[in-house]
Protein backbone atom coordinates (compact mmCIF):
# COMPACT_ATOMS: atom_id res chain seq x y z
CA UNK A 1 0.00 0.00 0.00
CA UNK A 2 1.43 3.37 -1.04
CA UNK A 3 1.12 6.58 0.91
CA UNK A 4 -1.77 7.75 -1.32
CA UNK A 5 -4.27 7.02 1.45
CA UNK A 6 -2.31 8.53 4.33
CA UNK A 7 -4.32 11.11 6.29
CA UNK A 8 -3.65 13.37 9.25
CA UNK A 9 -6.35 13.76 11.85
CA UNK A 10 -5.94 15.98 14.93
CA UNK A 11 -2.16 15.82 14.55
CA UNK A 12 -2.07 12.02 14.26
CA UNK A 13 -1.03 10.35 11.00
CA UNK A 14 -3.03 7.30 9.91
CA UNK A 15 -2.02 5.09 6.99
CA UNK A 16 -5.55 5.27 5.54
CA UNK A 17 -8.86 6.92 6.44
CA UNK A 18 -10.87 3.80 7.32
CA UNK A 19 -11.76 2.88 10.89
CA UNK A 20 -14.55 0.91 12.55
CA UNK A 21 -17.71 2.32 14.09
CA UNK A 22 -17.84 1.76 17.83
CA UNK A 23 -20.03 -1.13 18.88
CA UNK A 24 -19.82 -2.96 15.55
CA UNK A 25 -16.31 -4.43 15.78
CA UNK A 26 -15.89 -5.22 19.46
CA UNK A 27 -12.31 -4.34 20.27
CA UNK A 28 -11.06 -6.25 17.24
CA UNK A 29 -10.82 -9.66 18.87
CA UNK A 30 -13.96 -10.99 17.18
CA UNK A 31 -12.67 -9.97 13.74
CA UNK A 32 -8.99 -10.83 14.06
CA UNK A 33 -9.31 -14.06 12.06
CA UNK A 34 -11.06 -12.26 9.17
CA UNK A 35 -9.29 -8.90 9.04
CA UNK A 36 -5.64 -7.87 9.17
CA UNK A 37 -6.11 -5.22 11.86
CA UNK A 38 -2.83 -3.56 10.96
CA UNK A 39 -4.25 -2.74 7.52
CA UNK A 40 -7.01 -0.56 8.98
CA UNK A 41 -6.43 3.12 9.53
CA UNK A 42 -7.47 2.39 13.12
CA UNK A 43 -9.74 0.21 15.21
CA UNK A 44 -12.33 2.23 17.11
CA UNK A 45 -13.27 0.16 20.13
CA UNK A 46 -16.61 -0.65 21.64
CA UNK A 47 -17.60 1.87 24.31
CA UNK A 48 -15.44 1.68 27.44
CA UNK A 49 -16.85 2.76 30.81
CA UNK A 50 -15.23 3.13 34.21
CA UNK A 51 -17.03 0.00 35.46
CA UNK A 52 -18.71 -2.99 33.77
CA UNK A 53 -22.11 -2.32 32.19
CA UNK A 54 -24.58 -5.16 31.71
CA UNK A 55 -26.55 -3.44 28.96
CA UNK A 56 -30.27 -3.66 28.28
CA UNK A 57 -32.67 -6.58 28.47
CA UNK A 58 -33.16 -8.80 25.41
CA UNK A 59 -34.27 -8.73 22.65
CA UNK A 60 -31.77 -5.99 21.86
CA UNK A 61 -31.36 -6.17 18.06
CA UNK A 62 -33.93 -6.28 15.28
CA UNK A 63 -33.59 -5.97 11.52
CA UNK A 64 -35.47 -3.29 9.59
CA UNK A 65 -35.72 -2.54 5.87
CA UNK A 66 -32.24 -1.36 4.81
CA UNK A 67 -30.89 -1.36 8.33
CA UNK A 68 -31.23 -2.47 11.92
CA UNK A 69 -32.21 -1.21 15.34
CA UNK A 70 -30.08 -1.93 18.38
CA UNK A 71 -30.62 -1.30 22.06
CA UNK A 72 -27.51 -3.04 23.39
CA UNK A 73 -27.14 -0.38 26.06
CA UNK A 74 -23.34 -0.06 25.67
CA UNK A 75 -22.65 -3.37 27.40
CA UNK A 76 -18.93 -3.53 28.16
CA UNK A 77 -16.57 -5.12 30.70
CA UNK A 78 -15.12 -1.82 31.94
CA UNK A 79 -11.80 -0.04 31.64
CA UNK A 80 -9.62 -2.45 33.62
CA UNK A 81 -10.63 -5.49 31.54
CA UNK A 82 -10.14 -3.43 28.40
CA UNK A 83 -6.61 -2.55 29.48
CA UNK A 84 -5.64 -6.05 30.57
CA UNK A 85 -7.24 -8.00 27.69
CA UNK A 86 -8.32 -5.92 24.68
CA UNK A 87 -5.61 -3.29 24.38
CA UNK A 88 -2.73 -5.83 24.48
CA UNK A 89 -4.49 -7.81 21.73
CA UNK A 90 -4.79 -4.71 19.55
CA UNK A 91 -1.15 -3.75 20.05
CA UNK A 92 0.01 -7.33 19.39
CA UNK A 93 -1.79 -7.10 16.04
CA UNK A 94 -0.19 -3.72 15.24
CA UNK A 95 -3.50 -1.88 15.20
CA UNK A 96 -3.84 1.85 15.68
CA UNK A 97 -6.33 2.42 18.50
CA UNK A 98 -9.17 4.89 18.99
CA UNK A 99 -10.89 4.26 22.33
CA UNK A 100 -14.60 5.08 22.49
CA UNK A 101 -15.46 6.37 25.96
CA UNK A 102 -18.94 6.29 27.52
CA UNK A 103 -20.41 7.31 30.85
CA UNK A 104 -23.57 8.28 32.72
CA UNK A 105 -22.02 11.29 34.44
CA UNK A 106 -19.11 13.66 33.98
CA UNK A 107 -17.13 11.80 36.61
CA UNK A 108 -17.59 8.45 34.86
CA UNK A 109 -16.21 9.89 31.62
CA UNK A 110 -13.33 11.56 33.41
CA UNK A 111 -12.41 8.38 35.29
CA UNK A 112 -11.84 6.57 31.98
CA UNK A 113 -10.02 9.46 30.32
CA UNK A 114 -7.71 9.88 33.33
CA UNK A 115 -6.91 6.16 33.32
CA UNK A 116 -6.07 6.29 29.60
CA UNK A 117 -3.75 9.23 30.32
CA UNK A 118 -1.61 7.30 32.78
CA UNK A 119 1.98 6.60 31.81
CA UNK A 120 1.52 2.84 31.42
CA UNK A 121 -1.33 3.30 28.92
CA UNK A 122 -1.22 6.60 27.06
CA UNK A 123 1.39 5.56 24.51
CA UNK A 124 -0.76 2.65 23.33
CA UNK A 125 -3.86 4.73 22.59
CA UNK A 126 -3.84 7.08 19.58
CA UNK A 127 -7.09 8.98 20.05
CA UNK A 128 -10.27 9.15 22.13
CA UNK A 129 -13.81 9.20 20.75
CA UNK A 130 -16.28 10.46 23.34
CA UNK A 131 -19.84 9.13 23.04
CA UNK A 132 -21.98 12.03 24.26
CA UNK A 133 -25.21 10.24 23.41
CA UNK A 134 -25.10 8.63 26.86
CA UNK A 135 -27.90 9.71 29.24
CA UNK A 136 -26.72 12.02 32.01
CA UNK A 137 -28.29 10.50 35.12
CA UNK A 138 -27.71 13.71 37.09
CA UNK A 139 -29.72 15.70 34.56
CA UNK A 140 -32.77 13.46 34.36
CA UNK A 141 -31.44 11.26 31.57
CA UNK A 142 -30.90 14.01 28.99
CA UNK A 143 -28.02 13.02 26.69
CA UNK A 144 -24.90 15.17 26.92
CA UNK A 145 -25.10 15.54 23.16
CA UNK A 146 -28.56 17.10 23.08
CA UNK A 147 -27.84 20.38 24.87
CA UNK A 148 -25.05 22.61 23.54
CA UNK A 149 -24.07 23.91 26.95
CA UNK A 150 -23.72 20.37 28.31
CA UNK A 151 -21.70 19.28 25.28
CA UNK A 152 -19.34 22.22 25.62
CA UNK A 153 -18.90 21.67 29.34
CA UNK A 154 -18.09 17.95 29.15
CA UNK A 155 -15.70 18.61 26.24
CA UNK A 156 -13.76 21.20 28.27
CA UNK A 157 -13.49 18.89 31.28
CA UNK A 158 -12.33 15.93 29.21
CA UNK A 159 -9.75 18.02 27.35
CA UNK A 160 -8.33 19.22 30.67
CA UNK A 161 -7.31 15.67 31.67
CA UNK A 162 -6.84 13.84 28.33
CA UNK A 163 -3.42 12.79 27.07
CA UNK A 164 -4.70 11.98 23.56
CA UNK A 165 -6.63 14.03 20.97
CA UNK A 166 -10.33 14.19 21.82
CA UNK A 167 -12.98 13.52 19.16
CA UNK A 168 -16.57 14.19 20.22
CA UNK A 169 -19.15 11.84 18.70
CA UNK A 170 -22.28 13.80 17.82
CA UNK A 171 -25.86 12.57 18.05
CA UNK A 172 -28.14 13.20 15.05
CA UNK A 173 -31.14 13.32 17.40
CA UNK A 174 -31.04 17.10 17.64
CA UNK A 175 -32.69 20.01 15.86
CA UNK A 176 -29.44 21.48 14.52
CA UNK A 177 -26.30 19.33 14.27
CA UNK A 178 -24.14 22.38 13.55
CA UNK A 179 -25.09 23.92 16.91
CA UNK A 180 -23.70 20.84 18.66
CA UNK A 181 -20.55 20.89 16.52
CA UNK A 182 -19.92 24.53 17.37
CA UNK A 183 -20.44 23.76 21.05
CA UNK A 184 -17.78 21.05 21.19
CA UNK A 185 -15.44 23.17 19.08
CA UNK A 186 -15.84 25.93 21.68
CA UNK A 187 -15.08 23.33 24.35
CA UNK A 188 -11.72 22.57 22.74
CA UNK A 189 -12.46 19.35 20.84
CA UNK A 190 -9.76 18.18 18.42
CA UNK A 191 -12.32 16.65 16.05
CA UNK A 192 -15.87 15.36 15.71
CA UNK A 193 -17.38 12.10 14.53
CA UNK A 194 -20.89 11.75 13.16
CA UNK A 195 -23.45 10.45 12.93
CA UNK A 196 -24.37 8.27 15.84
CA UNK A 197 -27.55 6.22 15.44
CA UNK A 198 -31.03 7.71 14.95
CA UNK A 199 -33.69 6.81 17.49
CA UNK A 200 -36.29 4.44 16.06
CA UNK A 201 -38.92 1.91 17.02
CA UNK A 202 -40.30 -1.35 15.60
CA UNK A 203 -43.49 -3.11 16.67
CA UNK A 204 -44.06 -6.84 16.25
CA UNK A 205 -47.57 -6.80 14.78
CA UNK A 206 -48.12 -10.50 15.42
CA UNK A 207 -47.22 -10.35 19.09
CA UNK A 208 -48.65 -6.84 19.45
CA UNK A 209 -45.62 -5.69 21.38
CA UNK A 210 -42.35 -3.84 20.95
CA UNK A 211 -39.72 -5.72 18.97
CA UNK A 212 -37.04 -4.42 21.37
CA UNK A 213 -37.29 -4.84 25.13
CA UNK A 214 -36.10 -1.24 25.45
CA UNK A 215 -38.98 -0.10 23.16
CA UNK A 216 -36.68 2.20 21.17
CA UNK A 217 -33.27 1.60 19.66
CA UNK A 218 -30.58 3.15 17.49
CA UNK A 219 -31.19 2.94 13.75
CA UNK A 220 -28.15 2.23 11.59
CA UNK A 221 -27.39 0.79 8.19
CA UNK A 222 -27.73 1.99 4.58
CA UNK A 223 -31.09 3.68 5.23
CA UNK A 224 -29.36 6.39 7.31
CA UNK A 225 -26.52 7.07 4.84
CA UNK A 226 -28.07 10.08 3.05
CA UNK A 227 -28.75 11.68 6.44
CA UNK A 228 -25.13 11.13 7.45
CA UNK A 229 -23.85 12.69 4.23
CA UNK A 230 -26.06 15.74 4.76
CA UNK A 231 -24.99 16.20 8.38
CA UNK A 232 -21.29 15.73 7.63
CA UNK A 233 -21.56 18.36 4.91
CA UNK A 234 -23.34 20.80 7.23
CA UNK A 235 -20.79 20.34 10.02
CA UNK A 236 -17.87 20.70 7.59
CA UNK A 237 -19.25 24.12 6.61
CA UNK A 238 -19.84 25.17 10.22
CA UNK A 239 -16.60 24.30 12.07
CA UNK A 240 -12.88 24.00 11.38
CA UNK A 241 -12.54 20.61 13.10
CA UNK A 242 -11.65 17.45 11.17
CA UNK A 243 -14.51 14.96 10.85
CA UNK A 244 -14.84 11.19 11.08
CA UNK A 245 -17.92 10.44 8.97
CA UNK A 246 -20.10 7.40 9.47
CA UNK A 247 -23.58 6.10 8.81
CA UNK A 248 -24.60 3.31 6.46
CA UNK A 249 -21.21 2.85 4.80
CA UNK A 250 -21.23 -0.40 2.86
CA UNK A 251 -19.05 0.36 -0.17
CA UNK A 252 -16.12 2.42 -1.42
CA UNK A 253 -18.56 4.85 -3.04
CA UNK A 254 -20.27 5.40 0.33
CA UNK A 255 -16.92 6.24 1.92
CA UNK A 256 -16.05 8.57 -0.96
CA UNK A 257 -19.37 10.37 -0.54
CA UNK A 258 -18.67 11.15 3.10
CA UNK A 259 -15.14 12.31 2.29
CA UNK A 260 -16.33 14.55 -0.52
CA UNK A 261 -18.87 15.99 1.91
CA UNK A 262 -16.04 16.91 4.28
CA UNK A 263 -14.94 13.86 6.29
CA UNK A 264 -11.20 13.20 6.64
CA UNK A 265 -11.79 9.67 8.00
CA UNK A 266 -14.69 7.23 7.65
CA UNK A 267 -16.05 4.64 10.09
CA UNK A 268 -17.64 1.42 8.84
CA UNK A 269 -20.31 0.01 11.15
CA UNK A 270 -23.34 -2.17 10.48
CA UNK A 271 -21.81 -3.64 7.31
CA UNK A 272 -19.25 -5.45 9.50
CA UNK A 273 -22.03 -7.73 10.79
CA UNK A 274 -22.86 -9.24 7.41
CA UNK A 275 -19.57 -8.63 5.57
CA UNK A 276 -16.66 -9.05 8.02
CA UNK A 277 -13.97 -8.06 5.49
CA UNK A 278 -15.75 -4.94 4.20
CA UNK A 279 -13.28 -2.53 5.85
CA UNK A 280 -10.24 -3.86 4.01
CA UNK A 281 -12.19 -4.09 0.75
CA UNK A 282 -13.09 -0.40 1.05
CA UNK A 283 -9.44 0.44 1.70
CA UNK A 284 -8.48 -1.42 -1.49
CA UNK A 285 -11.26 0.40 -3.33
CA UNK A 286 -9.98 3.79 -2.18
CA UNK A 287 -6.49 2.86 -3.38
CA UNK A 288 -7.85 1.97 -6.82
CA UNK A 289 -9.87 5.20 -6.92
CA UNK A 290 -6.83 7.31 -6.06
CA UNK A 291 -4.69 5.58 -8.67
CA UNK A 292 -7.34 5.64 -11.42
CA UNK A 293 -8.02 9.33 -10.84
CA UNK A 294 -4.30 10.11 -10.61
CA UNK A 295 -4.57 11.71 -7.18
CA UNK A 296 -1.39 12.66 -5.38
CA UNK A 297 -3.27 12.03 -2.11
CA UNK A 298 -6.77 10.94 -1.09
CA UNK A 299 -6.89 14.20 0.87
CA UNK A 300 -7.57 15.98 -2.44
CA UNK A 301 -11.20 14.86 -2.35
CA UNK A 302 -11.94 15.84 1.27
CA UNK A 303 -14.66 18.50 1.14
CA UNK A 304 -14.36 18.86 -2.63
CA UNK A 305 -18.13 19.20 -3.07
CA UNK A 306 -19.34 22.70 -2.21
Amino acid sequence: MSDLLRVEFAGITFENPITTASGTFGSGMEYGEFVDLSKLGAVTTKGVADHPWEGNQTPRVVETPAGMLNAIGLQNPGIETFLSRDLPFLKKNNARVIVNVCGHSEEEYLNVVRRLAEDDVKGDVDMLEINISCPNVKEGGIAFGQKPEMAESITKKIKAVAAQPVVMKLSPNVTDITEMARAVEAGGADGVSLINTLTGMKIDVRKKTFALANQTGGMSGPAVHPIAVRMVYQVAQAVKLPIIGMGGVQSTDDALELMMAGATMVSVGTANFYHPTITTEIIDGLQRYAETNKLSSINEIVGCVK
Side-chain angles (χ1 to χ4, degrees):
M1 189 71 66
S2 70
D3 61 2
L4 282 176
L5 301 188
R6 191 170 294 151
V7 296
E8 183 177 301
F9 193 103
I12 307 295
T13 300
F14 296 95
E15 289 305 306
N16 66 73
I18 300 301
T19 183
T20 54
S22 178
T24 67
F25 206 75
S27 287
M29 298 179 74
E30 298 92 328
Y31 286 82
E33 63 182 287
F34 304 108
V35 179
D36 178 357
L37 301 182
S38 68
K39 185 176 178 178
L40 302 180
V43 172
T44 301
T45 70
K46 185 171 176 55
V48 177
D50 71 342
H51 62 280
W53 288 10
E54 291 186 0
N56 293 325
Q57 296 296 310
T58 57
R60 305 194 294 190
V61 177
V62 62
E63 290 189 46
T64 65
M68 61 176 276
L69 288 168
N70 93 83
I72 302 298
L74 295 168
Q75 178 182 349
N76 74 94
I79 181 65
E80 294 307 325
T81 297
F82 172 77
L83 293 178
S84 64
R85 182 191 66 188
D86 299 354
L87 188 57
F89 172 83
L90 289 167
K91 300 315 294 183
K92 178 182 177 182
N93 284 274
N94 299 311
R96 303 297 295 277
V97 180
I98 302 173
V99 177
N100 181 280
V101 178
C102 55
H104 288 126
S105 66
E106 288 182 349
E107 197 56 35
E108 287 186 13
Y109 281 102
L110 295 175
N111 286 341
V112 178
V113 174
R114 289 191 192 102
R115 184 69 180 90
L116 294 172
E118 293 179 8
D119 289 341
D120 63 327
V121 177
K122 63 183 182 182
D124 291 333
V125 174
D126 295 285
M127 222 157 52
L128 308 181
E129 181 184 65
I130 312 298
N131 179 5
I132 53 173
S133 296
C134 302
N136 183 354
V137 294
K138 294 185 178 179
E139 294 288 341
I142 298 169
F144 288 92
Q146 290 181 314
K147 283 193 173 182
E149 59 273 22
M150 289 172 60
E152 181 177 351
S153 175
I154 190 67
T155 303
K156 283 182 179 177
K157 291 176 180 177
I158 287 171
K159 275 294 295 177
V161 300
Q164 300 87 1
V166 172
V167 180
M168 304 303 287
K169 187 170 187 178
L170 304 184
S171 169
N173 300 305
V174 294
T175 303
D176 183 357
I177 191 72
T178 65
E179 185 178 27
M180 303 309 302
R182 291 188 183 99
V184 300
E185 183 177 45
D190 298 294
V192 290
S193 64
L194 65 147
I195 59 174
N196 208 329
T197 55
L198 290 140
T199 303
M201 177 183 288
K202 183 174 176 63
I203 291 174
D204 186 325
V205 297
R206 291 166 183 79
K207 296 180 179 178
K208 298 179 183 177
T209 188
F210 300 106
L212 295 171
N214 195 59
Q215 299 184 5
T216 61
M219 175 73 181
S220 63
V224 311
H225 184 67
I227 299 169
V229 173
R230 185 261 296 180
M231 288 192 170
V232 165
Y233 177 81
Q234 287 180 311
V235 169
Q237 307 310 305
V239 300
K240 299 186 185 305
L241 300 174
I243 298 168
I244 303 176
M246 67 193 76
V249 176
Q250 56 179 346
S251 68
T252 299
D253 281 359
D254 290 339
L256 288 168
E257 254 194 296
L258 285 169
M259 294 185 76
M260 290 181 183
T264 299
M265 296 183 72
V266 173
S267 287
V268 181
T270 301
N272 289 307
F273 294 135
Y274 63 85
H275 194 344
T277 61
I278 186 63
T279 46
T280 53
E281 290 178 23
I282 289 174
I283 292 167
D284 291 339
L286 291 176
Q287 179 76 18
R288 288 192 297 272
Y289 177 88
E291 292 171 351
T292 300
N293 288 274
K294 297 180 170 53
L295 302 182
S296 60
S297 167
I298 196 69
N299 292 284
E300 291 178 29
I301 69 164
V302 174
C304 69
V305 174
K306 302 290 186 183

